[in-house]
Amino acid sequence: MLSVLRNPAYRRLFGAQVVALTGTGLATVALSLLAYDLAGANAAAVLGTALAIKMAAYVVLAPVVAALADRVPRRTLLVSMDLARAAVVLALPFVDRIWQVYVLILLLQAASAAFTPAFQATVPRVLPEERDYTEALSLARLAYDLESLASPVLAAALLTIVPYAWLFTGTAAGFLISAFLVHSTPLPPNDEPNDEPAGRRAPGDANHAPGDVNRAPAPRPYSKALAGMRLLLGAPALRGLLALDLAVAAAGAVVLVGTVVLVRDVLGRPVGDVPLALGAYGAGSMAVALMLPRVLERCDDRTVMLRAALVLPGATALLAAGLAAGPGAWAWPGLLLLWLVTGAAGSAVLTPAGRVVRRAVRTAELPAAFAARFSLSHACWLLTYPLAGLLVTAAGPAVAAAVLAAVALAGAAGAARLWPAPPGARAPAVTRTAAQRGNRISRPSRTTSRP
């Protein structure tokens, strides 16, 4: 998987992603401490509101900003958003009112809503080969998982020698380094002609000569944002992808919202076991991210993603059953195992998603498609986060797990229905691998296209 880092442009982009994510992890810890300083016992409410603002910014702003992105050189947009995020983070230590936190979080996430989809749409242009792009998706997933594990440890080490306000300085430094790395990376221009091989283009590409897209009149920003939504809702594979996002968000909300209650109140474990449980979730995700490139050489994306999606409601339902039966000596190792499985299944669903988007739309439409998916996938989290919190508080973790297991099952079943298997389909990677080995390619097996 690390062979893709031999590409100098992608190596710099991946470095920018890693340092920015590390800085974001430091900011998460610092923001929690800042909220406690400002609100005391109401710190959880402040953080919950800030999280809702974050998701709302992603849902509302990402498609609109992406619609404007083609009017700005890609490098300029990415660097500008990194600099904007650094400026906002540097202002956070100086706030003394809760509303000021909300305003700054809105500005920070608005910049992230512009940066992230543009960054995602840039990677397949830098790595046009399917195998390289698959490895890049796994590396990106691994970077997110490492951030969730490494940043809290780094923050804890820094807090032994500096006040928490200095963590915001570390975050700003991460964004500045990211801006430098992006600025020094040769990126394809926004209007670069589509030079993808014919076998990997979306069906509409054959009707467009290179450069035709540049002769069309520029659409209005909101029209282009709606066009991105129509791209996702118009292709069966992308509609299925949205249902899969709901399944991941339902199971993930149980983990991210309910872990502290399960560990501290239900199981009576010490506070140090909370990051251990979350670490099991991240470890499962990391393990799958490392193995997935080889798996996708032998299996098609739909098969892998749908089968993994069916694991999510199963694991969450097992949690509900275990909680209803009452904790026993098995409860703690059982929880770690369920979190490990949930993280692995979520990673198996999310990691290949970029490949699905890339195959379903033309190259010129990638920024709008990635931005629309970025927005709509976060809408799923905007639904499941407060639902999990409300159910855990009002009815208990067992009921919350049961309800969200049903939501995850609905998402997985909806994806199977919305994304039908093409007749006689077989993963292109399998065909290429067989050809490279000089083997005779047999007729497609039915099992390769069925969940």
Side-chain angles (χ1 to χ4, degrees):
M1 183 171 60
L2 297 179
S3 62
V4 72
L5 295 177
R6 295 171 185 166
N7 183 304
Y10 177 70
R11 185 168 61 244
R12 287 178 176 270
L13 290 176
F14 181 68
Q17 183 180 34
V18 169
V19 295
L21 284 173
T22 302
T24 301
L26 295 178
T28 301
V29 176
L31 184 62
S32 300
L33 298 173
L34 176 63
Y36 186 81
D37 269 1
L38 294 176
N42 295 322
V46 173
L47 288 173
T49 303
L51 182 61
I53 291 172
K54 171 183 176 178
M55 293 301 169
Y58 286 167
V59 170
V60 175
L61 296 178
V64 177
V65 174
L68 298 169
D70 284 345
R71 303 184 180 185
V72 181
R74 187 174 287 110
R75 188 200 317 276
T76 301
L77 174 66
L78 295 175
V79 172
S80 298
M81 292 304 101
D82 266 338
L83 294 178
R85 293 193 289 182
V88 171
V89 166
L90 287 175
L92 277 169
F94 301 100
V95 304
D96 55 6
R97 297 288 188 275
I98 292 175
W99 67 266
Q100 296 170 348
V101 175
Y102 296 156
V103 170
L104 290 175
I105 290 298
L106 177 60
L107 294 175
L108 177 64
Q109 301 309 328
S112 294
F115 179 93
T116 304
F119 184 92
Q120 291 175 336
T122 299
V123 173
R125 303 294 293 274
V126 173
L127 299 172
E129 293 299 323
E130 179 96 354
R131 183 186 181 93
D132 291 341
Y133 183 53
T134 302
E135 293 181 356
L137 290 173
S138 291
L139 274 178
R141 188 70 210 169
L142 186 61
Y144 278 102
D145 295 332
L146 284 173
E147 179 270 324
S148 66
L149 293 175
S151 292
V153 174
L154 178 60
L158 291 174
L159 287 173
T160 62
I161 55 176
V162 297
Y164 76 82
W166 283 92
L167 298 182
F168 290 118
T169 305
T171 301
F175 290 141
L176 292 174
I177 295 172
S178 173
F180 170 78
L181 290 172
V182 172
H183 180 72
S184 61
T185 302
L187 299 179
N190 294 26
D191 59 351
E192 182 178 90
N194 180 7
D195 56 357
E196 287 183 307
R200 207 167 53 236
R201 293 181 188 174
D205 277 349
N207 301 322
H208 292 264
D212 277 356
V213 68
N214 300 320
R215 300 188 186 107
R220 293 178 180 272
Y222 286 94
S223 298
K224 190 169 182 181
L226 292 175
M229 298 289 185
R230 286 195 294 268
L231 285 173
L232 292 193
L233 299 177
L238 300 186
R239 290 198 299 269
L241 199 57
L242 292 176
L244 292 173
D245 286 332
L246 178 62
V248 173
V254 173
V255 176
L256 299 176
V257 173
T259 294
V260 65
V261 175
L262 291 170
V263 173
R264 299 289 286 145
D265 294 345
V266 177
L267 300 182
R269 307 286 300 186
V271 66
D273 284 348
V274 174
L276 182 59
L278 292 174
Y281 178 72
S285 185
M286 287 173 58
V288 168
L290 289 169
M291 295 186 298
L292 207 55
R294 291 185 178 273
V295 173
L296 293 175
E297 289 182 355
R298 296 170 174 80
C299 302
D300 63 279
D301 296 337
R302 180 183 180 276
T303 298
V304 171
M305 297 170 75
L306 288 181
R307 288 179 177 176
L310 290 172
V311 173
L312 294 169
T316 310
L318 281 176
L319 173 66
L323 291 172
W330 50 268
W332 173 238
L335 180 68
L336 294 178
L337 178 61
L338 285 178
W339 270 203
L340 183 77
V341 170
T342 303
S347 180
V349 173
L350 294 176
T351 302
R355 288 161 48 109
V356 177
V357 175
R358 185 191 188 200
R359 290 170 176 169
V361 302
R362 295 193 299 256
T363 299
E365 295 169 334
L366 279 176
F370 274 112
R373 181 176 179 269
F374 181 79
S375 179
L376 292 178
S377 65
H378 282 83
C380 297
W381 291 94
L382 185 59
L383 169 68
T384 58
Y385 269 142
L387 178 61
L390 177 64
L391 290 172
V392 169
T393 302
V399 173
V403 172
L404 286 163
V407 175
L409 180 60
R417 184 175 182 84
L418 292 169
W419 186 4
R426 184 167 186 161
V430 177
T431 303
R432 287 198 303 270
T433 301
Q436 289 168 358
R437 292 174 180 171
N439 296 335
R440 181 179 179 182
I441 301 173
S442 60
R443 285 186 293 178
S445 167
R446 293 180 181 179
T447 59
T448 60
S449 60
R450 184 175 299 171

